[in-house]
Amino acid sequence: MSNQVTPSRASRGTFPAYQAGAGWNALLPSRVPHTQAPVARSFDVIVVGAGFTGLAAARRVAELRPDATVLVIDATTVGNGSAGRNSGFLINLPHNTGMGGHGSPVEVARKQIHLYDLGLKWLHELVTTYGIDCGWNPVGKYHAAATPDGEQRLRDTLAQYREWGVTYRELSRDALRSEIGTGYYGYGYHSDNNVFVQPAALVRGLADSLPANVRLWENEPVVSLDGTGPFTVTTATTQLRAGQVIVANNGFASKLGLARDRVFTIYTYAAMTPALSADELAKLGPAAEWGVIPANRLGTTLRKTLGGRFVVRSAYSYEKERPLGDVNAMLADAYQRRYPQMTSHKFEHVWGGVTALTRNGALYFGEVRQGLFASLGCNGAGVLKGSIFGKLLGEMACCQQSPELADALGFERPTWLPPEPIRRVAIVSAIQYQKHRAGLER
């Protein structure tokens, strides 16, 4: 029987198809992807997805089993996929503070913080060891509110910070204007719990520094996954076998039969200005780099970059990208409302990016069945969360035990999602409600 597989229309649904390249990736030199098919057709471990989760899992398996053959397959070119499309915040605090687990909410939060701190330390070691030029900058981040409802949300978060022992600086409208150049926000705070990176540069650097026993295969969609070990992994052009499979393609794992009633995909959008003049950059505050997280999830994220550009991110849509012309107008409006003093509100790059959410914000993590592992549903915090949970998943696949893995397995599991079309109606309605509630935070 031939190993060649005819690509099908169905295979297009197993990975995101973007209208435009990632702005972060466009700033880097052109990448020559690893597109040559491997000669071997059987591997000890196959990893589906070369984002932060998949690369971390592959690296850890290869470190613990240096004689194992590991193949990482990705449907896109590394850096231009979902991992290279985020805002580049590495926040080592829980995003989902309601996430349950064994113990009190404070105990659960502290376990999460411990894991994120370990992930941040590990990433920094890799960046330093391999000389990954990704603009690593541990300057913290702002949270800012433009509405009374948003301010109350921030104050509630600070109450949790105090329980967790996290330090912060509260900021008035005038203080925010002085530091980030806008009087749009009436209240905010700054905490040190964030590192900025150039996300496409980071993920490309991690991919290019994988151990020698890891093979990377880019621009090759995985179409299906079958078997119980050994597994059959069918790509657009061939069939492969593996003793173990690690699935790390986030919401698109549902197209391979995993987490169909637990994880869903949404698109979010960002835009980046051309390099700004010194005079224009001065209008954005004195610091060379900063970022703002909105008080409402559907609000607008801002980032002034070390490279002298400004990034605006906002909005969600369910499973399908909005027209980029509409996105450009929406993001330009958000930019202009906050910074009317800028000479121009034009963007050089506008793009969408997909992420995976769960109904209750919990991560879909662990061994699905013997030999099949998955970490899905990063809920918008994929760089750091993906890295540490990918590392732990690799250790789990190698039968390594640790208190950190026990903690990860003890967190709350994702709750059930209704089937289509009820799911679509519920999610789209929730997005519309949150947009209305966000108001000026958008």
Side-chain angles (χ1 to χ4, degrees):
M1 176 175 146
S2 170
N3 281 327
Q4 295 300 310
V5 176
T6 302
S8 67
R9 294 178 64 88
S11 71
R12 300 175 192 173
T14 65
F15 62 96
Y18 294 116
Q19 299 175 72
W24 297 108
N25 199 52
L27 302 182
L28 301 174
S30 296
R31 175 179 172 81
V32 179
H34 299 268
T35 57
Q36 185 174 355
V39 175
R41 287 294 178 265
S42 182
F43 296 85
D44 294 313
V45 182
I46 289 179
V47 179
V48 181
F52 293 106
T53 303
L55 293 175
R59 182 183 299 276
R60 194 62 180 138
V61 169
E63 289 173 346
L64 294 171
R65 297 174 58 190
D67 295 329
T69 55
V70 182
L71 176 66
V72 181
I73 310 175
D74 198 277
T76 60
T77 300
V78 173
N80 202 39
S82 299
R85 292 172 177 268
N86 64 80
S87 298
F89 290 70
L90 276 63
I91 302 173
N92 56 331
L93 292 175
H95 278 58
N96 176 30
T97 53
M99 183 173 169
H102 300 303
S104 70
V106 173
E107 290 172 333
V108 171
R110 287 175 176 165
K111 288 178 180 179
Q112 292 184 58
I113 292 168
H114 174 63
L115 287 182
Y116 300 154
D117 284 342
L118 290 178
L120 194 64
K121 180 180 178 182
W122 187 54
L123 275 178
H124 190 238
E125 289 173 352
L126 294 174
V127 166
T128 302
T129 299
Y130 296 105
I132 300 174
D133 183 11
C134 63
W136 187 279
N137 191 11
V139 294
K141 84 307 189 198
Y142 294 92
H143 291 246
T147 63
D149 180 67
E151 179 175 342
Q152 187 58 53
R153 284 171 176 251
L154 296 190
R155 292 188 183 277
D156 291 343
T157 299
L158 291 183
Q160 292 179 315
Y161 278 19
R162 290 190 289 273
E163 289 185 317
W164 303 343
V166 174
T167 59
Y168 57 86
R169 290 189 297 119
E170 289 184 273
L171 297 158
S172 65
R173 186 185 304 274
D174 287 343
L176 286 166
R177 182 185 290 108
S178 175
E179 295 190 25
I180 63 173
T182 178
Y184 188 82
Y185 302 103
Y187 174 80
Y189 65 87
H190 181 275
S191 75
D192 294 332
N193 300 83
N194 173 70
V195 174
F196 286 115
V197 294
Q198 209 280 33
L202 177 57
V203 73
R204 282 168 59 160
L206 294 171
D208 292 339
S209 61
L210 288 167
N213 56 326
V214 181
R215 172 72 184 269
L216 176 62
W217 192 12
E218 299 169 76
N219 295 340
E220 183 68 14
V222 171
V223 175
S224 65
L225 172 62
D226 302 290
T228 57
F231 297 91
T232 298
V233 178
T234 303
T235 74
T237 61
T238 195
Q239 285 185 337
L240 305 167
R241 291 170 70 82
Q244 293 179 309
V245 172
I246 296 174
V247 179
N249 63 342
N250 234 338
F252 288 87
S254 63
K255 307 298 184 180
L256 302 178
L258 279 70
R260 285 176 173 166
D261 61 351
R262 294 293 185 271
V263 179
F264 63 94
T265 58
I266 58 115
Y267 285 81
T268 187
Y269 305 92
M272 178 186 292
T273 69
L276 301 174
S277 69
D279 288 344
E280 291 295 285
L281 287 171
K283 298 176 184 178
L284 300 173
E289 182 162 45
W290 55 257
V292 171
I293 303 294
N296 182 286
R297 186 165 194 164
L298 264 68
T300 296
T301 299
L302 307 173
R303 180 173 168 188
K304 180 183 180 183
T305 76
L306 281 177
R309 295 169 182 263
F310 195 62
V311 177
V312 183
R313 189 216 63 82
S314 193
Y316 285 159
S317 62
Y318 179 58
E319 288 201 336
K320 183 179 180 181
E321 270 193 292
R322 296 171 60 174
L324 288 186
D326 294 348
V327 171
N328 185 90
M330 174 194 66
L331 296 177
D333 173 68
Y335 182 19
Q336 186 170 18
R337 282 187 285 116
R338 287 159 175 81
Y339 292 93
Q341 72 270 31
M342 302 300 286
T343 301
S344 170
H345 298 93
K346 292 183 179 179
F347 299 118
E348 184 175 346
H349 303 285
V350 180
W351 69 94
V354 73
T355 189
L357 304 183
T358 58
R359 185 176 181 180
N360 61 338
L363 191 69
Y364 186 96
F365 174 85
E367 188 170 16
V368 179
R369 57 180 184 268
Q370 187 172 358
L372 179 61
F373 304 85
S375 185
L376 315 166
C378 65
N379 289 279
V383 182
L384 192 50
K385 185 183 289 187
S387 296
I388 186 58
F389 281 93
K391 180 176 184 285
L392 292 173
L393 199 65
E395 293 174 2
M396 189 179 184
C398 295
C399 300
Q400 297 285 310
Q401 302 295 323
S402 69
E404 290 75 25
L405 179 57
D407 286 344
L409 292 170
F411 293 141
E412 185 179 10
R413 304 289 93 187
T415 50
W416 176 82
L417 290 166
E420 298 289 5
I422 299 172
R423 180 184 305 185
R424 173 178 292 276
V425 172
I427 293 172
V428 171
S429 296
I431 290 173
Q432 292 301 319
Y433 170 74
Q434 289 297 333
K435 282 172 61 177
H436 172 73
R437 185 174 181 183
L440 292 175
E441 308 295 353
R442 294 179 57 211

